Amino acid sequence: MSEPFVEEKKIHLDDRGMLYEVTRKSQTGKIEQVYITGCAPDVIKAWHMHKKQVDRFFVIKGTLLVAVYCPERKYLWKFTLNETTKQTLTIPPNLWHGFSAIWGSYAEVLNCVSEEYSGMDEHRLPVDSFPCDWKPQSR
């Protein structure tokens, strides 16, 4: 079973401004669709899973608590991503995941996915299906 992983992104600065990469096919596989989703403060969008699709989350606004759960191993990963850290979280297929906008602000997430959305690979469970404390750790 694959595990989720975070890639730190290098910021390239010069006198004209800056540039940083979100993801590339050679590092994390194919990309079929790119979209932005938003989350209101303290709302939990969980749980969902894909059997084929790889998700790549990159926070462009706010702060997000992302939880990823593997029922086979009964293991929970938690990641805090925000607009200033420049990180991409890759979530492989067959892992349940969800997120919540934390610290009282709206969050927006850029998602670069491996499969174009058709609704056929979207599996959902209620928010209380797996043990997860959706409250953020102290700053």
Side-chain angles (χ1 to χ4, degrees):
M1 167 83 43
S2 297
E3 296 184 1
F5 62 92
V6 173
E7 295 174 280
E8 303 289 330
K9 299 301 176 179
K10 183 176 181 185
I11 300 173
H12 303 276
L13 296 169
D14 65 21
D15 58 346
R16 300 167 298 162
M18 62 92 178
L19 175 138
Y20 57 89
E21 191 173 77
V22 174
T23 191
R24 63 172 54 203
K25 180 180 175 180
S26 63
Q27 291 174 326
T28 57
K30 73 175 183 170
I31 298 164
E32 291 288 330
Q33 186 175 11
V34 177
Y35 65 88
I36 296 170
T37 185
C39 188
D42 303 314
V43 168
I44 301 169
K45 288 184 158 185
W47 294 95
H48 66 275
M49 183 268 295
H50 314 285
K51 293 188 183 271
K52 294 181 191 174
Q53 180 174 298
V54 175
D55 282 326
R56 294 173 195 88
F57 291 167
F58 188 91
V59 174
I60 57 175
K61 179 180 177 145
T63 303
L64 204 66
L65 175 64
V66 182
V68 182
Y69 186 73
C70 177
E72 289 177 14
R73 294 166 42 185
K74 293 185 174 37
Y75 192 82
L76 178 76
W77 293 271
K78 287 171 77 173
F79 302 92
T80 302
L81 306 173
N82 66 59
E83 62 191 72
T84 60
T85 56
K86 309 302 183 230
Q87 299 173 317
T88 300
L89 171 62
T90 298
I91 304 170
N94 297 306
L95 294 175
W96 292 93
H97 51 284
F99 53 80
S100 180
I102 58 174
W103 309 124
S105 65
Y106 180 82
E108 288 185 350
V109 183
L110 178 74
N111 193 2
C112 303
V113 298
S114 65
E115 308 297 322
E116 189 172 326
Y117 181 79
S118 70
M120 301 302 292
D121 191 32
E122 185 79 15
H123 308 276
R124 296 185 180 273
L125 287 173
V127 72
D128 60 355
S129 296
F130 305 115
C132 183
D133 179 3
W134 288 99
K135 293 185 176 32
Q137 301 297 318
S138 299
R139 284 188 184 195

